[in-house]
């Protein structure tokens, strides 16, 4: 009996390690792939960041359709995925406000990544937690404890120090910082709107993802025209190599995969562990980026990163402790059986925590 228990613990620990490693791999790789696609502050005649983002939405919507078709063929024990395909007008109208925020979120995230280095990307978008506190009060009327607010103060301090150090190093992009702040705000708004809209799609995160991405592909078209990307899109279609389109496809697939591995990580661990894992992943991503792009950084630059990371971890711990103290019933244990695709429960909990895209 003891041997079986030790084996069960070993299997569970191995599974958790594998899922966390998968989440890290998908999230970090997606950032580097997107940076390669988006390029620097100017890509010349092929500068079309919104088109690249639009293409990723197309791939995600197509992936949802493919998995839905596969789920109809395979047994539900092998593949669990909701029925998608037809866009219902009523549901589309209910989801549309969220999609507008979603378009803003993925656009500003990619634009931030375009103008700043991967090493600074985490700090550049680190104010999401701060906006969570602001918007949950302004929109939901929920107050935040002084301890959590103090953690936000630490994050703001780290963000400001990071911006200062980027400026001293001569690598500061004002546009990148502005897009980073907008991305932080939109990630927070996206979490709040997602929580409100979920009931309209029967609580299915995957169905919501499908509606979001289909509607986003429509909303991006006028944005691409207004921002003057049409000539760049034509140039990309005419002149880009198969390698470029392959990388575009990889970026889209990883964009879809991050939703899956995020839900899976929450399912086999917990929302708290997921947030800690995401923070640790950001640290690893920063270290890898400074090595990959050969970017030596000052001590204070690293201090800014550690300050943001420390503030984020402290905030996560504080909120978790408050949730435990306020909870009247013990949280049910997760099932030992996990379907190929994660259920909605963990994802909805993650939405409540205000977690955004990696």
């Amino acid at each position: 009996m003891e041997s079986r228990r030790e084996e069960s613990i070993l299997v569970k620990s191995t599974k958790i390690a594998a899922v966390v490693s998968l989440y890290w791999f998908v999230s970090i790789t997606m950032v580097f792939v997107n940076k390669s696609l988006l390029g620097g502050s100017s890509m010349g005649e092929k500068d079309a960041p919104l088109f690249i983002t639009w293409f990723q939405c197309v791939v995600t919507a197509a992936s949802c359709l493919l998995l839905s078709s596969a789920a109809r063929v395979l047994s539900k024990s092998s593949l669990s995925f909701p029925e998608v395909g037809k866009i219902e007008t009523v549901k589309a109208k209910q989801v549309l406000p969220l999609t507008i925020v979603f378009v803003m979120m993925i656009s500003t995230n990619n634009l931030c990544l375009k103008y700043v280095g991967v090493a600074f990307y985490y700090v550049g978008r680190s104010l999401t937690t701060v906006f969570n506190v602001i918007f949950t009060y302004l929109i939901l009327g929920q107050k935040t404890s002084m301890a959590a607010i103090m953690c936000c103060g630490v994050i703001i301090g780290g963000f400001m120090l990071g911006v200062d150090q980027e400026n001293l190093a001569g690598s500061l992009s004002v546009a990148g910082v502005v897009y980073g702040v907008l991305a932080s705000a939109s990630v927070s708004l996206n979490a709040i709107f997602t929580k409100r809209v979920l009931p309209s799609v029967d609580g299915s995160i995957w169905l919501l993802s499908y509606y979001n991405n289909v509607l986003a592909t429509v909303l991006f078209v006028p944005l691409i025209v207004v921002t003057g990307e049409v000539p760049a899109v034509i140039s990309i279609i005419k002149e880009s190599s198969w390698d470029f389109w392959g990388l575009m496809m990889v970026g889209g697939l990883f964009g879809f995969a991050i939703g899956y591995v995020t839900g899976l990580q929450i399912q086999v661990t917990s929302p708290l562990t997921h947030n800690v894992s995401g923070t640790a992943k950001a640290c690893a991503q920063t270290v890898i980026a400074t090595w990959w792009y050969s970017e030596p950084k000052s001590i204070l630059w690293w201090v800014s990163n550690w300050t943001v990371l420390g503030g984020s971890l402290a905030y996560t711990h504080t909120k978790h402790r408050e949730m435990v103290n306020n909870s009247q019933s013990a949280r049910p244990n997760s099932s030992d059986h996990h379907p190929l695709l994660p259920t909605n429960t963990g994802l909805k909990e993650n939405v409540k925590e205000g977690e955004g895209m990696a």
Side-chain angles (χ1 to χ4, degrees):
M1 179 70 74
E2 189 67 27
S3 176
R4 288 183 179 180
R5 181 179 298 176
E6 290 179 357
E7 182 180 354
S8 176
I9 293 175
L10 178 61
V11 171
K12 186 175 181 180
S13 299
T14 303
K15 186 175 185 178
I16 290 174
V19 170
V20 171
S21 298
L22 179 63
Y23 168 76
W24 279 41
F25 171 74
V26 172
S27 181
I28 293 175
T29 302
M30 182 181 69
V31 171
F32 278 86
V33 168
N34 281 345
K35 180 62 177 177
S36 178
L37 288 169
L38 295 164
S41 58
S42 178
M43 289 287 288
E45 296 179 352
K46 297 181 180 180
D47 192 8
L50 293 183
F51 170 72
I52 291 172
T53 310
W54 170 86
F55 186 87
Q56 292 175 343
C57 290
V58 172
V59 173
T60 298
S63 298
C64 288
L65 282 171
L66 183 62
L67 283 175
S68 180
S69 299
R72 287 197 297 268
V73 176
L74 302 174
S75 61
K76 289 189 176 182
S77 60
S78 301
L79 180 62
S80 176
F81 202 87
E83 184 78 22
V84 302
K86 181 181 178 182
I87 299 293
E88 298 179 16
T89 304
V90 175
K91 288 184 179 180
K93 288 181 179 179
Q94 293 172 327
V95 174
L96 185 59
L98 170 63
T99 304
I100 295 172
V101 176
F102 174 73
V103 167
M104 178 182 174
M105 180 183 72
I106 58 178
S107 298
T108 51
N109 267 283
N110 276 350
L111 286 168
C112 175
L113 182 58
K114 175 181 175 63
Y115 288 102
V116 306
V118 175
F120 185 67
Y121 184 54
Y122 173 68
V123 173
R125 296 166 54 253
S126 61
L127 297 182
T128 298
T129 301
V130 178
F131 281 110
N132 280 343
V133 172
I134 295 173
F135 289 140
T136 51
Y137 177 73
L138 294 178
I139 299 176
L140 303 178
Q142 298 175 2
K143 295 183 179 180
T144 304
S145 67
M146 183 55 64
I149 291 175
M150 289 176 65
C151 294
C152 290
V154 173
I155 295 172
I156 294 173
F159 171 79
M160 294 179 67
L161 179 59
V163 171
D164 177 69
Q165 290 303 301
E166 282 286 299
N167 185 38
L168 290 177
S171 55
L172 178 67
S173 167
V174 176
V177 172
V178 171
Y179 284 127
V181 173
L182 291 174
S184 299
S186 56
V187 165
S188 178
L189 283 173
N190 184 75
I192 294 173
F193 274 79
T194 297
K195 184 178 178 181
R196 285 186 167 185
V197 173
L198 262 176
S200 65
V201 288
D202 305 320
S204 172
I205 284 288
W206 291 111
L207 185 58
L208 181 61
S209 176
Y210 176 71
Y211 268 83
N212 245 345
N213 282 278
V214 170
L215 294 176
T217 58
V218 177
L219 294 181
F220 266 118
V221 174
L223 289 176
I224 291 172
V225 174
V226 171
T227 55
E229 286 191 8
V230 174
V233 172
I234 295 173
S235 179
I236 288 174
I237 294 174
K238 287 184 177 180
E239 301 174 13
S240 293
S241 64
W242 285 107
D243 291 341
F244 173 82
W245 289 109
L247 196 61
M248 286 274 280
M249 186 63 69
V250 169
L253 291 174
F254 270 80
F256 171 77
I258 191 63
Y260 165 59
V261 295
T262 295
L264 189 61
Q265 180 171 245
I266 295 169
Q267 189 181 60
V268 301
T269 58
S270 67
L272 173 64
T273 304
H274 167 68
N275 287 338
V276 173
S277 173
T279 303
K281 184 273 303 180
C283 178
Q285 179 178 291
T286 301
V287 173
I288 293 171
T290 56
W291 168 75
W292 182 262
Y293 294 106
S294 301
E295 298 176 346
K297 300 296 183 180
S298 66
I299 294 177
L300 283 178
W301 187 92
W302 285 107
V303 169
S304 72
N305 276 264
W306 287 110
T307 301
V308 170
L309 288 166
S312 299
L313 285 173
Y315 178 86
T316 299
H317 173 71
T318 300
K319 295 298 289 183
H320 176 70
R321 187 178 60 192
E322 291 173 357
M323 287 174 61
V324 170
N325 291 339
N326 294 333
S327 178
Q328 298 299 320
S329 57
R331 187 176 176 182
N333 294 324
S334 59
S335 172
D336 291 332
H337 171 71
H338 302 294
L340 181 59
L341 289 175
T343 59
N344 292 326
T345 305
L347 285 169
K348 281 187 274 188
E349 290 171 350
N350 196 38
V351 167
K352 295 176 184 177
E353 289 295 312
E355 177 70 14
M357 296 180 67

